[in-house]
Amino acid sequence: MAWEFPERPSGKGLLWKQIFHIETITKWGPSGSATIASLRVTRLLVKHKKPFTDGEILKSCFLEAADSLFDGMKNKQEISNCIKELQLSKQSIVRRAESISENVLSQLKKDLYACSCFSLQFDESNDAIDIAQLCVFSRLIFHDLTVKEELFAIIPMKERTTGENIYNSFKTFLLSFELLPLMKKLVSITTDGAPAMIGNQNGFIAFCRKDEHFPKFLSYHCIIHQHALCGKMLNFNYVMETTVKIINSIRAKPLQRRLFRLFLEQVDAIYGDLPLHCDIRWLSKGLILSRFRELLSYIKEFSKENNKNWHFLENPDWLINLAFLTDITSKLNELNLELQGKNRYIIDMISSINAFIMKLELWISQIRKENFTHFPNIEDEFTKQLVNKNHYVNEFAMVLEKIMNEFNNRFSDFKKITILCSFFVSPSMDVDIENISEEFSKMFDVDRRKSQIEIINLKNDITLKLHSNVNMWKFMSQEKYPILIDSYQRILSCFGSTYLSETLFSSMKMIKSQHRTRLTDDHLGDCMRIAKAYTSQNLK
C-alpha cells in the first residue's frame, strides 16, 4: 500500500482536522485507517519536536473533542471506537518514527542513484549531554535541473572530533548504508572552516582527497562564517563593551529590568525592553546596537533617576563611534540575511559578496568627501555634535578599507568560480572563450577543446536565445552540450554555506533538550531526519 501525506496547514487550529479524517476511516475501515492515522500523528509529533509520550495525550484530546464535536450524531460511538483503536502509546510512536525515518532514508538513497550529481555540507555541534553530532546535508541535482536539499546523515561522535575520526565515522556510515559507490557523483564539500575539517594534513577534507572512493571534488569554507570573521575587523571594543555593560546593569537585576520596562511604557517608547548580547548569534551585535541607540535618550534619563552616572553617554567621541558602529553592523547584518536561507545557490551568494565589496568602495569614497548618505546614524550624530569631522572621516574610511581588504582576501577561493558563474548566468555576453574553457578544465577536469566548441555553438544558437539566460539551460540538448550542461549542474549543486546544518542544530536543541536527555542517538537521528525531511511529505 502507498499513502501520501498532505501539506501541513499554517494554522494551529487545523492540526486536529489534518490528523483525523472521517472519510479516510470510512474508506479503509477501522484497522487500516488506525495505522495510517497513527503514522500521521507520529509524523506531526516529530515535525513539531514533541516527545514520543505526547501521543497518549493527543489520543485523550481526540476522545474529549469527539465527545463534544459529534454529540447528537448517529455514528458518534463508531467514531469514538475508531479513535480508541489509534496506536499512540510511547512504544508505538517510537516504532512509527523508526519506520518513517527508514522510509525517508530509502527515498534519499533512490534519489542519490537517480540524480546527476550532488554536494555535501558538514558541521558538528554538541547535544544536551555533550555528544558531538556530525550533521551532513546534501543538495541533489537531477537531469531536468530539479534541485532537492535533504538531510544526508546525523552521525554521533562519542570520542574525539579530529579530522581522522570524522572521516572514519562518515565512511562507516557510507559503508553501512551502501552509499560509498555513489560518492563518484560528489561535486563539492562545504564545511564550517574548523581545523579538524580543513587541515592540510590531518583534516577531514585531506583524508577524503586521499581516499580513492572519492572523486576530485571542490571544497569551500562557509561564506556566512567567513562573513562573520570579516565583521570582527571592526576594532571598536571599547564602544561595544561599554554598551553591553550598560545593558547588563539594567538587565542583570529583575527589579531594575521591571522598572526600566515600566519607564519605557510610561514614556511611550517605540520598544519595551533592551535585548541581551549573544556573541555566537550572527545578528546579535547589530540588533542590540540599533536598539540601544534608539533608546539612548531614555537610558540616560533612567540612569539619572537611579543615580547611575555613565559619563561617556555625554562624550561626543564615544557617541559618534557608537553611531558609526551601529551603521556598519546594520549593513553587515543585511548582507548576512541575504546569505541565509534554503535553496541559496552559490551564484547568488557570490553576487551578494561582490556587490558588498563594491558598496564598500562607494562608501569609502563618499565618506572621504564627508558624504554620509548611507550612514544615517553618523549623519544624525554629526548634526548634534560640534566636532571636527576630518579626524573621524579618515578613521572611518580606514576601517572600511580594512574590512574591504579582509573580504577580498577571505573570499579568494570563491573568485575562482566567479567567471564560470557569470558565464552560466549570461552565456550570451562577450567572453574570452579560451579563458572560460581553461577554467572549465581546471575545475571540472573536462576536455578543453570540446568545451571551446560547445561555447561557440551556444553563443550562436539562435533557438536558445529565444529563452531567458537562466531558463535556457532547461531547453538545451544533452547530446549537443554535454560538457556545459554537466558543468552547470555541478555549479548548481555547490553549497555556499552551512546554513542548513546550523538551523538543524537549533532543532536538535529542542528535540534533545535538558528535559529529554535520555533520547538515544538513533532516535535523535530519526527525529531530526523526519523534522527536516522534504521526502517525508510523500512517504511510500
Side-chain angles (χ1 to χ4, degrees):
M1 179 188 296
W3 62 90
E4 292 187 355
F5 283 71
E7 294 290 335
R8 183 175 63 193
S10 57
K12 292 183 179 179
L14 297 175
L15 181 61
W16 189 89
K17 291 183 180 179
Q18 182 185 1
I19 294 172
F20 184 76
H21 292 282
I22 300 177
E23 292 180 0
T24 304
I25 289 178
T26 305
K27 182 178 180 181
W28 295 103
S31 58
S33 60
T35 302
I36 295 173
S38 177
L39 284 162
R40 286 181 169 170
V41 171
T42 299
R43 188 183 71 89
L44 285 175
L45 280 175
V46 177
K47 279 279 186 181
H48 288 78
K49 306 169 187 64
K50 300 299 182 182
F52 299 137
T53 52
D54 280 9
E56 296 176 349
I57 299 175
L58 275 176
K59 187 173 181 178
S60 300
C61 292
F62 290 164
L63 289 170
E64 288 292 331
D67 189 51
S68 299
L69 286 174
F70 306 111
D71 190 31
M73 296 179 62
K74 294 180 179 180
N75 59 343
K76 175 183 177 180
Q77 189 59 45
E78 182 183 351
I79 293 173
S80 299
N81 291 337
C82 288
I83 295 175
K84 290 176 182 178
E85 287 190 14
L86 279 175
Q87 304 134 11
L88 296 181
S89 66
K90 175 185 174 182
Q91 293 76 13
S92 296
I93 296 293
V94 169
R95 290 195 302 271
R96 302 294 188 224
E98 292 172 347
S99 299
I100 295 174
S101 176
E102 183 181 350
N103 182 282
V104 172
L105 184 58
S106 68
Q107 291 193 57
L108 173 61
K109 192 173 179 179
K110 291 178 182 178
D111 287 338
L112 287 169
Y113 275 103
C115 72
S116 300
C117 59
F118 66 90
S119 292
L120 301 174
Q121 64 170 260
F122 286 75
D123 203 353
E124 63 90 13
S125 182
N126 293 344
D127 61 20
I129 57 174
D130 293 328
I131 294 177
Q133 302 287 346
L134 177 66
C135 172
V136 188
F137 263 94
S138 61
R139 175 182 285 163
L140 290 67
I141 308 296
F142 297 87
H143 295 287
D144 60 353
L145 297 183
T146 303
V147 182
K148 185 180 290 188
E149 293 178 346
E150 281 286 11
L151 177 60
F152 191 88
I154 287 290
I155 305 172
M157 306 283 295
K158 297 186 177 181
E159 298 181 359
R160 297 182 183 276
T161 55
T162 63
E164 185 175 7
N165 287 343
I166 294 173
Y167 163 75
N168 290 332
S169 298
F170 180 61
K171 190 167 184 181
T172 300
F173 170 83
L174 294 177
L175 289 170
S176 61
F177 289 95
E178 300 178 349
L179 296 175
L180 190 59
L182 296 175
M183 287 299 104
K184 63 185 179 182
K185 296 184 179 182
L186 179 66
V187 176
S188 70
I189 293 179
T190 303
T191 68
D192 60 352
M197 287 290 185
I198 62 173
N200 290 332
Q201 299 298 326
N202 297 315
F204 167 72
I205 296 293
F207 281 104
C208 289
R209 293 196 189 281
K210 297 173 187 176
D211 192 328
E212 61 181 9
H213 293 96
F214 285 77
K216 179 183 176 183
F217 62 87
L218 307 172
S219 64
Y220 296 109
H221 179 184
C222 170
I223 286 181
I224 299 179
H225 280 86
Q226 293 194 71
H227 161 270
L229 293 173
C230 290
K232 293 185 180 295
M233 298 303 295
L234 288 169
N235 190 18
F236 285 80
N237 291 336
Y238 67 100
V239 175
M240 194 67 203
E241 289 172 359
T242 308
T243 303
V244 173
K245 184 178 180 180
I246 295 173
I247 293 174
N248 288 343
S249 71
I250 296 174
R251 290 285 304 256
K253 296 181 180 179
L255 176 60
Q256 283 290 96
R257 186 182 182 189
R258 290 200 302 272
L259 293 175
F260 182 67
R261 293 173 67 177
L262 181 62
F263 173 76
L264 292 178
E265 185 179 339
Q266 291 172 346
V267 297
D268 293 326
I270 188 172
Y271 298 111
D273 203 356
L274 281 169
L276 282 172
H277 175 51
C278 181
D279 195 46
I280 63 171
R281 293 186 180 274
W282 291 327
L283 307 179
S284 178
K285 183 183 292 187
L287 292 174
I288 72 159
L289 286 170
S290 177
R291 182 76 61 86
F292 181 85
R293 195 173 184 282
E294 291 185 32
L295 295 177
L296 186 58
S297 59
Y298 304 121
I299 293 172
K300 290 180 182 179
E301 188 176 346
F302 181 77
S303 299
K304 289 179 182 178
E305 290 182 1
N306 288 271
N307 298 320
K308 290 280 187 179
N309 184 21
W310 303 109
H311 60 278
F312 39 81
L313 293 181
E314 305 295 339
N315 185 333
D317 182 69
W318 190 89
L319 291 171
I320 291 172
N321 283 308
L322 171 66
F324 172 74
L325 192 61
T326 303
D327 279 329
I328 190 60
T329 50
S330 68
K331 296 182 185 305
L332 288 168
N333 278 8
E334 289 173 7
L335 175 60
N336 194 295
L337 288 171
E338 283 185 36
L339 300 174
Q340 294 183 40
K342 298 179 181 179
N343 298 317
R344 296 290 293 170
Y345 298 111
I346 196 169
I347 295 175
D348 300 326
M349 302 181 83
I350 291 174
S351 299
S352 297
I353 293 296
N354 291 338
F356 189 77
I357 292 173
M358 290 191 67
K359 291 174 187 176
L360 285 169
E361 293 176 353
L362 173 67
W363 297 334
I364 292 169
S365 173
Q366 290 182 338
I367 283 181
R368 290 198 182 281
K369 298 174 184 177
E370 297 188 7
N371 180 355
F372 302 100
T373 303
H374 295 279
F375 293 83
N377 286 296
I378 298 178
E379 195 169 32
D380 176 62
E381 200 61 46
F382 274 139
T383 59
K384 299 177 182 177
Q385 309 294 340
L386 299 176
V387 295
N388 182 8
K389 296 182 182 180
N390 289 332
H391 168 70
Y392 297 103
V393 164
N394 293 329
E395 181 186 358
F396 295 157
M398 290 176 62
V399 170
L400 293 180
E401 285 177 350
K402 189 183 294 185
I403 295 174
M404 185 176 68
N405 292 334
E406 188 69 12
F407 266 87
N408 282 319
N409 293 332
R410 284 201 170 272
F411 296 104
S412 58
D413 289 345
F414 292 97
K415 289 181 179 179
K416 297 176 183 178
I417 66 170
T418 300
I419 185 172
L420 296 184
C421 292
S422 300
F423 171 75
F424 286 130
V425 172
S426 182
S428 59
M429 68 177 184
D430 293 330
V431 294
D432 186 332
I433 295 175
E434 289 192 3
N435 188 25
I436 289 285
S437 62
E438 184 178 356
E439 292 298 326
F440 276 126
S441 178
K442 287 180 181 178
M443 190 160 296
F444 301 125
D445 196 23
V446 298
D447 190 310
R448 184 177 177 182
R449 294 172 300 175
K450 291 182 179 179
S451 64
Q452 290 175 353
I453 299 301
E454 288 189 20
I455 293 171
I456 293 173
N457 289 336
L458 176 62
K459 291 178 65 63
N460 293 277
D461 196 323
I462 298 175
T463 305
L464 289 176
K465 289 181 180 180
L466 297 174
H467 306 284
S468 64
N469 289 327
V470 177
N471 292 329
M472 66 181 292
W473 296 97
K474 296 181 179 180
F475 301 97
M476 288 174 62
S477 168
Q478 181 69 43
E479 292 75 18
K480 189 175 181 180
Y481 303 105
I483 293 177
L484 293 183
I485 293 176
D486 179 70
S487 300
Y488 180 63
Q489 291 175 345
R490 288 169 178 266
I491 290 291
L492 284 183
S493 74
C494 291
F495 280 112
S497 73
T498 57
Y499 172 83
L500 294 176
S501 299
E502 296 288 352
T503 56
L504 186 66
F505 291 140
S506 298
S507 298
M508 181 180 71
K509 298 297 183 183
M510 298 175 65
I511 294 171
K512 192 171 183 178
S513 64
Q514 59 179 347
H515 305 295
R516 202 181 175 191
T517 57
R518 293 176 63 188
L519 191 69
T520 65
D521 292 325
D522 289 340
H523 289 153
L524 174 63
D526 292 337
C527 291
M528 293 175 73
R529 187 175 293 281
I530 298 170
K532 290 296 178 181
Y534 169 82
T535 50
S536 65
Q537 296 291 341
N538 183 19
L539 300 182
K540 296 180 179 179

